[in-house]
Amino acid sequence: MAAKQKTKTIIVSNRLPVRIVKEENKLSFMPSEGGLATGLGSIYKQGDNIWLGWPGAVLSGKSEEDQTKKELKDQNMAPVFLTEEDIELYYEGFSNETLWPNFHYFNQFSEFKQEYWRSYQEVNQKFADQVIKNANPNDTIWIHDYQLLLLPALVREKLPEISIGFFLHIPFPSYESFRILPWRRELLVGMLGADFLGFHTYDDTRHFLSSVSRLAGVGNEHGHINYNNRQIMADALPMGIDYDKYAETAAAPETLEREVRYRTSIGSQKLILCIDRLDYSKGIPQRLKAFEKLLERNPEYREKVSMLMVVVPSRDQVGKYKELKEEIDLLVGRINGQYSRLSWTPIHYFYRSYPLHALSAFYRMAHVCLVSPMRDGMNLVCKEFIASKLDKKGVLILSEMAGASKELSDALLVNPNNREQMVEAIREALEMQEDEQVQRMIVMQNTLKRYNIYNWVDLFMNRLSVVKEEQRALTTKLLDKKSEESIQTAYKKAKKSLIFLDYDGTLKGFFGDPQAAKPDEELYEIIGGLTKNKTSTVVIISGRDKQTLASWFNLSKVDLIGEHGVWLRGHGEEWHTITNLTDVWKDDIRDVLEGYVARTPGSFVEEKDYSLVWHYRKVETGLGELRTRELTSHLKYLASNQNLQVLEGDMVVEIKSTEINKGRAARNWMKRHENADFIMAIGDDWTDEDTFKAMPKEAYTVKVGSSNSAAKFSVNSFENVRELLKGMVDL
């Protein structure tokens, strides 16, 4: 017997946590110190796990590539080699001139070039080829960030059962921004290849789900998306930092020595610290103008307060970034020129990167850390500042547009577009009493200690494995001949049988006019065969109204459950309800539905006693799906505080009380027939999932048309259901 194949985790990102430096035809490999590299080190360095990505340099010739492969293999990494053209079009082009500005709401900077898009597709395929080459079906793939949005679906295509997670490290824009992209649907479909999608904030998750619903036509329920017969989950998991690393660095002798040196040079004034990469999303000019306004209005802060501003170089040969750099240089020059004294410089401006111990010394020295991006997925600088404050003194001013603001509510939160508010926040931070500083800092430090980078990694991997387990639990077995015969034999041996049958899509196909789907002779014959056996109870459990069910099955010896469990009627009994229901909500909702009918030719509203249904089977393809997404979103908003639920069926959207479902009605029937030794339930849409979940373990459950269900078996169509039932009664 062959040994069981070991499973591994494959991390994929645009860049590897290493960079190649080429010097005099020699390659040297320098490790990266980013937060992601730190957090994922606990994964990729173990066992056979591997990290795939670009090594940070364009290599010339096979010998350099072979050397790189060998060197990286020893470090549990594998390279994806990119050309100069790839870097120009895929990375600098589509990733940073199309996606980055759009995702950060700077659409005026977005470039929509076809050659960028083609290159993005080609490079994502290069990454996919490397993943597929290294992966086995039982492995776990964790893909990172906006450069690889197409990758999940490309891998899924070749390895359909593999476990894929995806995390987006930048904001996901609102539907209104994302819809501007010409390739918006392709990007969403690419992301939907993942099993679990992680975002920094709930807002990002909500925006993604909204775009999936409105642009890809795929609905969701509480972050669960059912796509291509697969349950996908999207959720917010804010990324943390390696808290202990920053706290320990802040206490290191090298850091303390640097702090003394820097402080001696600068003097005793209070410091406002800003550390950013050069980017228009960081709000650097707005911040400088706010500081200028502070000095103008508050002369008492002159010679007492300085700004220490570190800007890390980035893409400064690209037009927009070059202009930004020039604007920053001019602003710093103007402010320093106007307010400087021989003994005092308002802004200490450094356009370079610094080693960790230097940054840690800056964090220790700073009285205020001003982090004011116009948009930021998370922003880790503010977290590093908090972790470095061993004496717990210091104030964080944080933009509410940064993902970190959702966790760090004890910071002074500002709108970076509101200069007056920024000025007031800086003044408040400079004047804040030490006991309040300590109180706020303790709360934020406790949050960051708990939700550190390792917690984030564990949480993500756990959520991914839970989603995969849920998928496996919902995978049904196609009803084969052997299983069919087993059900038929069990039925014939049973002393008492209870059979639940959905109607539309289960016993009869769908029609443009719902009333045209009435039973045919064959169906009456099958029902008659089942009910002829006095030990059998057949329950038609449908979304249909009670009048329709009564007229269609008036002569059949069946029990009826109508409107998804509102109305119940045993054979020979009167209709009744399980609970006291109200329909006072219907007038308001009916007006909304009629508004959609007026805008959607071919749609109509069906009114039942305790529910309303919007039908769109006759609506033009595309328009129906579009209106469904709008209507579902609208109804869910209205239903949220009215104890109502919105159900999407086959070409219908139904709204009804949350107290009603088929499962509750089915349980009621099972109590009546406690001695049944054969129980079966058959249904075709997700309203029938409640029935399946209510069934005991030994029951036979069959889903029509989908293999993603709580049912044990699946069949392709209602014709298969009829064949199964005919075999049970020997027709």
Side-chain angles (χ1 to χ4, degrees), residues 282-428:
K282 302 301 181 184
I284 300 170
Q286 291 83 349
R287 184 184 311 155
L288 288 167
K289 288 170 185 173
F291 184 62
E292 181 180 33
K293 184 66 73 177
L294 177 87
L295 296 177
E296 180 191 313
R297 282 195 192 158
N298 302 274
E300 69 273 18
Y301 289 140
R302 297 172 197 172
E303 300 185 61
K304 301 282 193 304
V305 177
S306 289
M307 178 178 278
L308 174 55
M309 189 169 80
V310 177
V311 178
V312 179
S314 171
R315 308 182 72 221
D316 51 16
Q317 297 311 304
V318 175
K320 289 180 283 289
Y321 288 79
K322 201 172 182 180
E323 289 167 19
L324 176 62
K325 167 79 165 54
E326 287 168 2
E327 184 184 2
I328 294 167
D329 292 350
L330 284 169
L331 281 168
V332 171
R334 185 177 84 197
I335 296 166
N336 281 346
Q338 184 168 353
Y339 293 105
S340 283
R341 300 288 183 270
L342 284 172
S343 59
W344 173 68
T345 305
I347 302 170
H348 300 280
Y349 168 41
F350 304 97
Y351 186 66
R352 69 190 81 147
S353 57
Y354 276 92
L356 180 58
H357 287 285
L359 294 175
S360 186
F362 291 156
Y363 290 140
R364 284 180 58 94
M365 292 161 61
H367 296 78
V368 177
C369 184
L370 177 53
V371 179
S372 57
M374 312 308 284
R375 285 283 167 180
D376 211 335
M378 175 50 62
N379 192 291
L380 300 179
V381 166
C382 58
K383 295 187 174 186
E384 292 167 10
F385 168 74
I386 290 165
S388 303
K389 282 300 183 186
L390 305 183
D391 63 357
K392 300 182 173 33
K393 293 173 192 168
V395 183
L396 173 64
I397 302 174
L398 181 58
S399 164
E400 61 192 34
M401 306 298 177
S405 66
K406 306 295 186 287
E407 297 170 88
L408 303 175
S409 54
D410 280 83
L412 298 180
L413 299 181
V414 294
N415 179 344
N417 298 292
N418 186 338
R419 194 178 304 169
E420 295 296 321
Q421 188 188 26
M422 292 257 287
V423 171
E424 179 53 33
I426 297 170
R427 197 197 59 73
E428 185 184 344

Side-chain angles (χ1 to χ4, degrees), residues 342 446 678:
L342 284 172
N446 288 339
F678 175 91

